[in-house]
């Protein structure tokens, strides 16, 4: 018996469930991620994680230096935390450097002079998108390291979307571009690693 009830094993899970897990992991985009910068509302963080799971993002980076670290509940969209891993950061420099070292382009969200419309960004490249605080945007120390920006074109009087909605729109565009290139039809990791994760997920 686990803390929250019976612990499932690979032997007790149905083959249909195993195949579902295997298919989801097969389509995970290992080179697509988000950086959440001091996002204040845990409900927004939970909704972003749900979108990550929906569009095949396996991991997010949580940069928290001023806001309380988000405590995520166990219900509703927060359940996505089981399927999306999270890495906490407190120092912008090493975080950005580590992503660039593995080949990621890093694009912030904003309306700076060189900002490009979302649809003009090539999101089939290894990419990390930075989502800033609901009120302040990207933290200055992060913005100083991320000169490239994108924005979601809007047609109304309000100039910006809720951060969780913006995340969903950006990830949908990444899904659209990557689907057109067949990137969801190729495994994002070695098959041995995939099967190891299948066994791990089967116990969740």
């Amino acid at each position: 018996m686990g803390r929250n009830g019976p612990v499932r094993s690979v032997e007790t899970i149905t083959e249909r469930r195993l195949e579902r897990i295997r298919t989801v992991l097969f389509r995970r985009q290992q080179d697509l991620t988000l950086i959440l910068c001091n996002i204040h509302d845990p409900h927004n963080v939970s909704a972003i994680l749900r979108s990550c799971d929906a569009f095949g993002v396996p991991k997010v980076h949580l940069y928290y230096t001023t806001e309380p670290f988000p405590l995520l509940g166990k219900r509703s969209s927060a359940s996505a935390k089981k399927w999306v891993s999270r890495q906490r950061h407190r120092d912008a420099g090493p975080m950005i450097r580590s992503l660039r070292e593995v080949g990621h382009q890093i694009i912030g969200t904003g309306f700076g002079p060189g900002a490009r419309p979302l649809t003009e960004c090539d999101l089939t490249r290894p990419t990390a998108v930075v989502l800033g605080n609901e009120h302040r945007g990207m933290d200055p120390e992060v913005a100083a390291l991320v000169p490239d920006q994108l924005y979601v074109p809007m047609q109304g009087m309000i100039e910006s979307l809720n951060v969780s909605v913006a995340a969903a729109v950006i990830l949908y565009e990444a899904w659209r571009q990557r689907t057109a290139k067949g990137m969801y039809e190729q495994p994002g990791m070695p098959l041995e690693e995939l099967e190891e994760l299948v066994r791990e997920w089967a116990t969740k």
Side-chain angles (χ1 to χ4, degrees):
M1 180 72 71
R3 235 175 122 182
N4 300 308
V7 176
R8 287 187 288 179
S9 69
V10 177
E11 288 75 20
T12 60
I13 196 170
T14 66
E15 187 56 41
R16 181 177 179 183
R17 176 72 169 174
L18 277 175
E19 194 52 40
R20 169 69 174 165
I21 289 172
R22 190 172 286 111
T23 299
V24 167
L25 285 170
F26 184 94
R27 297 171 70 82
R28 282 300 202 238
Q29 304 291 293
Q30 300 296 323
D31 62 350
L32 179 63
T33 190
L34 299 179
I35 300 171
L36 313 187
C37 287
N38 285 304
I39 291 179
H40 171 74
D41 189 343
H43 293 94
N44 280 333
V45 176
S46 294
I48 290 169
L49 291 180
R50 185 165 186 161
S51 292
C52 286
D53 176 57
F55 293 111
V57 175
K59 178 179 180 179
V60 298
H61 298 266
L62 303 176
Y63 178 75
Y64 276 78
T65 56
T66 57
E67 298 292 334
F69 194 72
L71 299 176
L72 305 177
K74 297 177 182 177
R75 297 191 174 194
S76 187
S77 59
S79 63
K81 72 177 185 177
K82 288 201 305 185
W83 313 115
V84 179
S85 65
R86 301 164 308 284
Q87 182 175 350
R88 184 172 185 175
H89 301 269
R90 295 183 176 88
D91 192 329
M95 174 182 69
I96 298 298
R97 185 165 56 251
S98 66
L99 287 165
R100 286 213 168 103
E101 284 174 351
V102 295
H104 282 62
Q105 65 171 341
I106 304 177
I107 311 175
T109 50
F111 299 96
R116 291 176 292 160
L118 171 62
T119 51
E120 293 183 12
C121 298
D122 182 0
L123 301 179
T124 65
R125 294 174 53 192
T127 301
V129 177
V130 183
L131 298 167
N133 176 273
E134 293 93 330
H135 306 294
R136 304 186 304 272
M138 280 195 294
D139 297 86
E141 66 275 16
V142 175
L145 299 171
V146 183
D148 297 319
Q149 293 185 357
L150 64 79
Y151 65 90
V152 178
M154 299 178 63
Q155 314 306 313
M157 294 293 291
I158 298 172
E159 295 183 348
S160 63
L161 296 168
N162 170 278
V163 64
S164 64
V165 176
V169 172
I170 291 166
L171 292 179
Y172 177 83
E173 176 61 16
W175 173 85
R176 187 191 67 80
Q177 292 183 21
R178 287 168 174 249
T179 296
K181 285 197 170 184
M183 294 174 69
Y184 284 87
E185 304 306 319
Q186 306 168 21
M189 66 187 83
L191 293 180
E192 297 83 1
E193 183 180 337
L194 188 149
E195 288 302 324
E196 184 178 337
L197 279 173
V198 168
R199 291 190 291 272
E200 179 185 325
W201 279 29
T203 64
K204 291 188 178 185

